[in-house]
Amino acid sequence: MAKPKKSPRPKAEPPKGFRDYFGTEVSERKAMLDQIAAVYHLYGFEALESSAVETVEALGKFLPDVDRPNEGVFAWQEADENDKGDWMALRYDLTAPLARVYAQHRNDLPMPYRRFAMGPVWRNEKPGPGRFRQFYQCDADTVGAPSVAADAEICAMLSDTLEAVGIPRGDYLIRINNRKVLNGVLEATGVTDDAQQADVLRTIDKFDKVGEAGVRELLGKGRLDASGAYIDGVGLTDAQAEPVLAFLTSKGATSADTLANLRAAIGDSAVGTEGVEELQTIATLLEAQGYAADRIVIDPSVVRGLGYYTGPVYEAELTFEIKDEKGRPRQFGSVAGGGRYNGLVQRFTGQEVPATGVSIGVDRLLAALRMKGRTAATPPGPVVVTVMDKARMSDYQQMVSELRAAGIRAEVYLGNPKNFGNQLKYADKRLSPVAIIQGSDEAERGVVQIKDLILGAKIAQSASLEEWKAQPAQREISRDDLVEEVRKCLEQ
Amino acid sequence: MAKPKKSPRPKAEPPKGFRDYFGTEVSERKAMLDQIAAVYHLYGFEALESSAVETVEALGKFLPDVDRPNEGVFAWQEADENDKGDWMALRYDLTAPLARVYAQHRNDLPMPYRRFAMGPVWRNEKPGPGRFRQFYQCDADTVGAPSVAADAEICAMLSDTLEAVGIPRGDYLIRINNRKVLNGVLEATGVTDDAQQADVLRTIDKFDKVGEAGVRELLGKGRLDASGAYIDGVGLTDAQAEPVLAFLTSKGATSADTLANLRAAIGDSAVGTEGVEELQTIATLLEAQGYAADRIVIDPSVVRGLGYYTGPVYEAELTFEIKDEKGRPRQFGSVAGGGRYNGLVQRFTGQEVPATGVSIGVDRLLAALRMKGRTAATPPGPVVVTVMDKARMSDYQQMVSELRAAGIRAEVYLGNPKNFGNQLKYADKRLSPVAIIQGSDEAERGVVQIKDLILGAKIAQSASLEEWKAQPAQREISRDDLVEEVRKCLEQ
């Protein structure tokens, strides 16, 4: 055996921003991912598990400083003779690796290629409360399908997925927009300067906060904000601002209304028209399949941040109310989002390959299911066979063997058996439904004590003396009836 | 949309030694891990998923050069203001993280703590054929149980696990030894010099290759090897070598015989006696539970390399024959191993905590199952609904909706529909059992063409003209019977 080291003891903790998941946390997440995978599979998507490590080159996240990769990823340089090895990094999402895999294997993969992936990703960001540097993503993407039928399919699948994991219809909404419509709106304003276009987009993002009148001021000369500070405007004329305001207020009672309003907002912009027509196609396909406005809607307020989206964008929001940290009611919010990104594979091959896909925020969706009490019931702990007599360990092992053979989770207490109280405390900590006790006296008589810990807890809480006497939580049973009697306790 | 970069295109490949897993490769492994987890759970083990990243300090793998961590791990330094951040690393196994987790959470965890873990680990080693730098491990450990009943339990569970995943009894053997017995043998030789002890252990490891006579020579004056080179011996006297040879030849017909031989080999060594008694206890417990010599045996030839084992060590071997790369028959060999390591948690807490556990080589076990044809049957590909008429995409989507609602995996072809041959080639590549075809003519008549691709492949291989006429692989059916007729094809 290695001798204890003389060096100072290491700290028993993970790096900052990392955490561990125990027991039910693991099994609940796994159950949810299994349900999601089943829906994805039903839709014809194939599993892909790419390597967690990629070359920084393939991930494509370099800082301007060419020596040191982006701080947003965990990266290191492979050691070689001259310390000039490749830079490698942990994947920061599942889309960049998909682009690499597709470019690498495109001659062998079906075309289109529908794939799903689930697993941890890593971000080298400042950790915060509830914000970890390793977390799960769960993605589905279709590569090589130019038709927006692929986008419609992902939205339908997302709807089915949310219901499959336990979010009831009415508690979620999938909202669809199209980057091309936004580009059409920009075209309709007549703004061609890149910086001014960016200002317009930033102002659009403030619509939720400042409303129509606020946006009108910000697009024009500017406005006084709540704190009394004056915010400079973008400097558009009223006529230039009009398409933006029309766009922002285009959400109608039905998708048909919304589409008509959008058509008006984009004027005769070619790209805008293409965008509206794509949305029209998506709406028609989804309606034909029965996905009505209670599940999926066209909604111009979806402006997803990522620069690489090139067509439809979509987002799933949970609409039920929760309380924020100050106790105020608010909607749970977004749990999944995605869209069409036609440029990612091109980085590798030079050829544009159409692709669209969605990413589910696994931890947020799981948190939502927990809040709604929709996660699978915590499975009971194991039956604990206590050790009264160390020399008779074989007998105790025999008991758990029988229980397991009957499919009942069971274990022998393997700590130091001297203090019997510790054994019962252990059974409590394990959330055991039943403890089994057999001393040498009981062994001679061919009986065991069966302690119903579920019933015991109930009795301790509320039972009267009479009830306690009528239904004792601990009984003596024949050793031969062990499995049957334990099963009775579990079936209560 | 981001403009294509001017910089040279990145290579579309993962870093050297990494790979991707597709479709069935992912689902087969998942199915096996699920089966393993079910057995572990039945035995009372709890899931743990620790972070993939640990501090190098916690992993405890420093080179003598204190600035740069061991090359065996992938490690990097956290960037902070002064570039003096902590070193972090990807875990290289699941045991070192368990020691950290247990030390960190020991006040909240049950004692003993039975936990299982499955997931990727990373090794910064030279990759080779079939040797990757990211691979799965699947471990079960019991921390805080001093009794060797915990070791016996792990061996029994390992036996149940192998049978659960599909290795039939008779095709595997779990062999148990004890480091203390080896230490007792060393004591019995009277060798006290550390370097000479290491030489003796190295010689023991050669027993398989050179046999009893060879070991006798190597322990003494040395021997001529097959190439004619003279190998220096350890320099033991005949009397000193005797316990080693007794130990190496102690395997008897039954565990009782083996134990008697071991007792003779270790003489009056205290630690050796303790070791033999522990093996005796394990053998007794396992026999009482019905694990006979066809499943688990005491076998002194198990000398597991890892320095940290302090008591019982165990190994699962698959005993069926395979052909090696030169076509010669050999046993499949080891798929799992483990043992007792009482020193790991102590690194963190200063207190020795007994622990024992096993690690399954996931990829090797999976390879074995594939060789034996024991993996789950490859699930069929999706039903492919082809697109004859792009304008009628809604109709095609409606068909897959119906099929999915009936639990049948189905998809619409989403590539460019112009070349119909490509659609059927796609269905072939997807291993589709059935393709559905509906042109506008069929749509008007309320029918679809159903193409049975499984039957079609059979007919193409072997059918006579008569058979082909009697049972055509493509038929016209009523649109209303779509689900029912597809189901019939799938049930063949």
Side-chain angles (χ1 to χ4, degrees), chain B residues 181-198 200 219 234-245 265-271:
Chain B
V181 175
L182 206 56
N183 291 343
V185 168
L186 283 177
E187 218 173 276
T189 61
V191 173
T192 52
D193 178 67
D194 276 358
Q196 205 179 16
Q197 282 196 349
V200 173
L219 286 174
V234 181
L236 301 194
T237 65
D238 283 356
Q240 283 182 311
E242 208 41 60
V244 178
L245 290 158
I266 47 109
D268 53 7
S269 157
V271 62

Short mmCIF file of all heavy atoms in Angstrom, two decimals, chain B residues 181-198 200 219 234-245 265-271:
data_model
loop_
_atom_site.label_atom_id
_atom_site.label_comp_id
_atom_site.label_asym_id
_atom_site.label_seq_id
_atom_site.Cartn_x
_atom_site.Cartn_y
_atom_site.Cartn_z
N VAL B 181 -2.03 -11.74 0.80
CA VAL B 181 -1.40 -13.05 0.64
C VAL B 181 -0.05 -12.88 -0.06
O VAL B 181 0.96 -13.48 0.35
CB VAL B 181 -2.31 -14.00 -0.18
CG1 VAL B 181 -1.61 -15.32 -0.44
CG2 VAL B 181 -3.62 -14.23 0.56
N LEU B 182 -0.03 -12.03 -1.06
CA LEU B 182 1.22 -11.76 -1.77
C LEU B 182 2.25 -11.16 -0.81
O LEU B 182 3.43 -11.55 -0.81
CB LEU B 182 0.92 -10.79 -2.92
CG LEU B 182 1.83 -10.82 -4.13
CD1 LEU B 182 1.91 -12.21 -4.73
CD2 LEU B 182 1.31 -9.83 -5.17
N ASN B 183 1.77 -10.21 0.00
CA ASN B 183 2.68 -9.62 0.99
C ASN B 183 3.18 -10.68 1.97
O ASN B 183 4.34 -10.66 2.39
CB ASN B 183 1.98 -8.49 1.75
CG ASN B 183 1.72 -7.29 0.85
OD1 ASN B 183 2.31 -7.16 -0.22
ND2 ASN B 183 0.82 -6.41 1.27
N GLY B 184 2.29 -11.61 2.32
CA GLY B 184 2.67 -12.71 3.21
C GLY B 184 3.73 -13.60 2.57
O GLY B 184 4.67 -14.04 3.24
N VAL B 185 3.58 -13.84 1.29
CA VAL B 185 4.56 -14.66 0.57
C VAL B 185 5.92 -13.96 0.59
O VAL B 185 6.96 -14.58 0.84
CB VAL B 185 4.09 -14.91 -0.88
CG1 VAL B 185 5.22 -15.50 -1.72
CG2 VAL B 185 2.88 -15.83 -0.89
N LEU B 186 5.90 -12.63 0.33
CA LEU B 186 7.15 -11.87 0.37
C LEU B 186 7.79 -11.98 1.76
O LEU B 186 9.00 -12.16 1.90
CB LEU B 186 6.90 -10.40 0.02
CG LEU B 186 6.69 -10.08 -1.45
CD1 LEU B 186 6.39 -8.60 -1.65
CD2 LEU B 186 7.93 -10.47 -2.27
N GLU B 187 6.94 -11.87 2.79
CA GLU B 187 7.44 -11.98 4.16
C GLU B 187 8.06 -13.35 4.38
O GLU B 187 9.13 -13.47 5.01
CB GLU B 187 6.27 -11.76 5.13
CG GLU B 187 6.64 -10.97 6.37
CD GLU B 187 5.40 -10.63 7.21
OE1 GLU B 187 4.75 -9.63 6.87
OE2 GLU B 187 5.08 -11.39 8.13
N ALA B 188 7.39 -14.38 3.85
CA ALA B 188 7.89 -15.75 4.03
C ALA B 188 9.23 -15.97 3.33
O ALA B 188 10.03 -16.81 3.76
CB ALA B 188 6.86 -16.75 3.52
N THR B 189 9.50 -15.19 2.27
CA THR B 189 10.80 -15.35 1.60
C THR B 189 11.92 -14.76 2.44
O THR B 189 13.09 -15.09 2.24
CB THR B 189 10.84 -14.60 0.24
OG1 THR B 189 10.63 -13.20 0.48
CG2 THR B 189 9.80 -15.13 -0.72
N GLY B 190 11.56 -13.86 3.37
CA GLY B 190 12.58 -13.19 4.16
C GLY B 190 13.23 -12.03 3.44
O GLY B 190 14.15 -11.39 3.96
N VAL B 191 12.78 -11.71 2.22
CA VAL B 191 13.33 -10.57 1.48
C VAL B 191 12.76 -9.29 2.07
O VAL B 191 11.54 -9.13 2.17
CB VAL B 191 12.96 -10.65 -0.01
CG1 VAL B 191 13.39 -9.38 -0.74
CG2 VAL B 191 13.59 -11.88 -0.65
N THR B 192 13.62 -8.37 2.49
CA THR B 192 13.12 -7.13 3.09
C THR B 192 13.49 -5.92 2.25
O THR B 192 12.88 -4.86 2.38
CB THR B 192 13.68 -6.93 4.51
OG1 THR B 192 15.11 -7.06 4.45
CG2 THR B 192 13.12 -7.99 5.46
N ASP B 193 14.47 -6.07 1.37
CA ASP B 193 14.91 -4.95 0.54
C ASP B 193 13.82 -4.60 -0.48
O ASP B 193 13.32 -5.47 -1.20
CB ASP B 193 16.21 -5.36 -0.18
CG ASP B 193 16.70 -4.26 -1.10
OD1 ASP B 193 17.10 -3.20 -0.59
OD2 ASP B 193 16.62 -4.47 -2.34
N ASP B 194 13.43 -3.33 -0.55
CA ASP B 194 12.33 -2.90 -1.43
C ASP B 194 12.59 -3.26 -2.89
O ASP B 194 11.70 -3.77 -3.58
CB ASP B 194 12.13 -1.37 -1.33
CG ASP B 194 11.25 -1.00 -0.15
OD1 ASP B 194 10.77 -1.92 0.54
OD2 ASP B 194 11.05 0.21 0.07
N ALA B 195 13.80 -2.99 -3.35
CA ALA B 195 14.11 -3.24 -4.76
C ALA B 195 14.03 -4.73 -5.06
O ALA B 195 13.49 -5.15 -6.10
CB ALA B 195 15.51 -2.72 -5.08
N GLN B 196 14.54 -5.56 -4.10
CA GLN B 196 14.51 -7.00 -4.33
C GLN B 196 13.06 -7.52 -4.28
O GLN B 196 12.69 -8.40 -5.06
CB GLN B 196 15.38 -7.72 -3.29
CG GLN B 196 15.88 -9.07 -3.80
CD GLN B 196 16.77 -9.79 -2.79
OE1 GLN B 196 16.79 -9.46 -1.60
NE2 GLN B 196 17.50 -10.79 -3.26
N GLN B 197 12.25 -6.93 -3.38
CA GLN B 197 10.82 -7.29 -3.35
C GLN B 197 10.17 -7.00 -4.70
O GLN B 197 9.40 -7.81 -5.23
CB GLN B 197 10.11 -6.50 -2.25
CG GLN B 197 10.35 -7.04 -0.85
CD GLN B 197 9.34 -6.49 0.16
OE1 GLN B 197 8.60 -5.55 -0.15
NE2 GLN B 197 9.32 -7.07 1.35
N ALA B 198 10.48 -5.82 -5.26
CA ALA B 198 9.91 -5.45 -6.56
C ALA B 198 10.34 -6.44 -7.63
O ALA B 198 9.54 -6.83 -8.50
CB ALA B 198 10.34 -4.02 -6.93
N VAL B 200 11.01 -9.58 -7.16
CA VAL B 200 10.25 -10.82 -6.95
C VAL B 200 8.85 -10.67 -7.58
O VAL B 200 8.37 -11.57 -8.28
CB VAL B 200 10.14 -11.15 -5.45
CG1 VAL B 200 9.19 -12.33 -5.22
CG2 VAL B 200 11.52 -11.45 -4.86
N LEU B 219 14.14 -16.56 -10.05
CA LEU B 219 14.22 -16.15 -8.64
C LEU B 219 15.62 -16.45 -8.09
O LEU B 219 16.06 -15.84 -7.13
CB LEU B 219 13.17 -16.90 -7.80
CG LEU B 219 11.73 -16.44 -7.98
CD1 LEU B 219 10.78 -17.36 -7.21
CD2 LEU B 219 11.54 -15.00 -7.53
N VAL B 234 17.04 -13.01 -9.48
CA VAL B 234 16.84 -12.14 -8.31
C VAL B 234 17.86 -12.48 -7.23
O VAL B 234 18.16 -11.66 -6.35
CB VAL B 234 15.40 -12.29 -7.79
CG1 VAL B 234 15.14 -11.38 -6.61
CG2 VAL B 234 14.40 -12.01 -8.90
N GLY B 235 18.37 -13.68 -7.26
CA GLY B 235 19.41 -14.06 -6.30
C GLY B 235 18.88 -14.65 -5.00
O GLY B 235 19.54 -14.60 -3.96
N LEU B 236 17.67 -15.19 -5.03
CA LEU B 236 17.15 -15.82 -3.82
C LEU B 236 17.76 -17.22 -3.67
O LEU B 236 18.11 -17.87 -4.65
CB LEU B 236 15.62 -15.97 -3.88
CG LEU B 236 14.76 -14.72 -4.06
CD1 LEU B 236 13.29 -15.05 -3.74
CD2 LEU B 236 15.23 -13.59 -3.17
N THR B 237 17.87 -17.69 -2.42
CA THR B 237 18.24 -19.08 -2.18
C THR B 237 17.03 -19.95 -2.52
O THR B 237 15.89 -19.45 -2.62
CB THR B 237 18.61 -19.30 -0.70
OG1 THR B 237 17.43 -19.07 0.09
CG2 THR B 237 19.71 -18.34 -0.25
N ASP B 238 17.26 -21.26 -2.63
CA ASP B 238 16.15 -22.18 -2.90
C ASP B 238 15.08 -22.06 -1.81
O ASP B 238 13.88 -22.05 -2.09
CB ASP B 238 16.65 -23.64 -2.95
CG ASP B 238 17.35 -23.92 -4.27
OD1 ASP B 238 17.36 -23.01 -5.14
OD2 ASP B 238 17.88 -25.03 -4.43
N ALA B 239 15.54 -21.95 -0.57
CA ALA B 239 14.59 -21.87 0.56
C ALA B 239 13.75 -20.59 0.46
O ALA B 239 12.55 -20.60 0.73
CB ALA B 239 15.33 -21.92 1.88
N GLN B 240 14.43 -19.49 0.05
CA GLN B 240 13.70 -18.22 -0.07
C GLN B 240 12.69 -18.29 -1.21
O GLN B 240 11.60 -17.73 -1.13
CB GLN B 240 14.69 -17.08 -0.35
CG GLN B 240 15.46 -16.62 0.88
CD GLN B 240 16.37 -15.45 0.55
OE1 GLN B 240 17.13 -15.52 -0.43
NE2 GLN B 240 16.30 -14.40 1.34
N ALA B 241 13.04 -18.97 -2.30
CA ALA B 241 12.17 -19.03 -3.47
C ALA B 241 10.96 -19.93 -3.22
O ALA B 241 9.92 -19.80 -3.88
CB ALA B 241 12.95 -19.51 -4.68
N GLU B 242 11.11 -20.85 -2.28
CA GLU B 242 10.08 -21.87 -2.07
C GLU B 242 8.68 -21.30 -1.85
O GLU B 242 7.72 -21.73 -2.50
CB GLU B 242 10.48 -22.81 -0.93
CG GLU B 242 9.90 -24.21 -1.07
CD GLU B 242 9.96 -24.71 -2.51
OE1 GLU B 242 11.06 -24.81 -3.11
OE2 GLU B 242 8.87 -24.94 -3.08
N PRO B 243 8.49 -20.32 -0.94
CA PRO B 243 7.12 -19.79 -0.73
C PRO B 243 6.53 -19.21 -2.01
O PRO B 243 5.34 -19.35 -2.26
CB PRO B 243 7.33 -18.69 0.31
CG PRO B 243 8.61 -19.01 0.99
CD PRO B 243 9.48 -19.70 -0.04
N VAL B 244 7.37 -18.56 -2.84
CA VAL B 244 6.87 -17.97 -4.08
C VAL B 244 6.36 -19.06 -5.00
O VAL B 244 5.26 -18.96 -5.57
CB VAL B 244 7.98 -17.15 -4.78
CG1 VAL B 244 7.46 -16.58 -6.10
CG2 VAL B 244 8.49 -16.04 -3.88
N LEU B 245 7.13 -20.14 -5.12
CA LEU B 245 6.72 -21.22 -6.02
C LEU B 245 5.49 -21.94 -5.47
O LEU B 245 4.59 -22.32 -6.22
CB LEU B 245 7.88 -22.19 -6.23
CG LEU B 245 8.99 -21.53 -7.07
CD1 LEU B 245 10.33 -22.21 -6.87
CD2 LEU B 245 8.58 -21.54 -8.54
N ALA B 265 1.87 -21.84 1.84
CA ALA B 265 2.85 -20.97 1.18
C ALA B 265 3.27 -19.79 2.05
O ALA B 265 4.43 -19.38 2.04
CB ALA B 265 2.28 -20.46 -0.15
N ILE B 266 2.33 -19.24 2.82
CA ILE B 266 2.66 -18.02 3.57
C ILE B 266 3.28 -18.30 4.94
O ILE B 266 3.68 -17.36 5.64
CB ILE B 266 1.44 -17.10 3.74
CG1 ILE B 266 0.21 -17.90 4.21
CG2 ILE B 266 1.08 -16.42 2.42
CD1 ILE B 266 -0.19 -17.63 5.61
N GLY B 267 3.38 -19.60 5.31
CA GLY B 267 4.02 -19.93 6.58
C GLY B 267 3.35 -19.23 7.74
O GLY B 267 2.11 -19.20 7.82
N ASP B 268 4.14 -18.61 8.62
CA ASP B 268 3.50 -17.96 9.77
C ASP B 268 3.46 -16.45 9.62
O ASP B 268 3.42 -15.73 10.61
CB ASP B 268 4.20 -18.39 11.07
CG ASP B 268 5.69 -18.16 10.99
OD1 ASP B 268 6.14 -17.55 9.99
OD2 ASP B 268 6.40 -18.57 11.91
N SER B 269 3.47 -15.95 8.39
CA SER B 269 3.32 -14.51 8.17
C SER B 269 1.95 -14.04 8.66
O SER B 269 0.92 -14.60 8.30
CB SER B 269 3.46 -14.18 6.68
OG SER B 269 2.82 -12.95 6.39
N ALA B 270 1.95 -12.99 9.51
CA ALA B 270 0.68 -12.50 10.07
C ALA B 270 -0.20 -11.91 8.96
O ALA B 270 -1.40 -12.21 8.86
CB ALA B 270 0.95 -11.45 11.14
N VAL B 271 0.39 -11.06 8.12
CA VAL B 271 -0.40 -10.42 7.08
C VAL B 271 -0.90 -11.47 6.07
O VAL B 271 -2.04 -11.40 5.58
CB VAL B 271 0.39 -9.28 6.38
CG1 VAL B 271 1.62 -9.82 5.67
CG2 VAL B 271 -0.48 -8.52 5.40
#
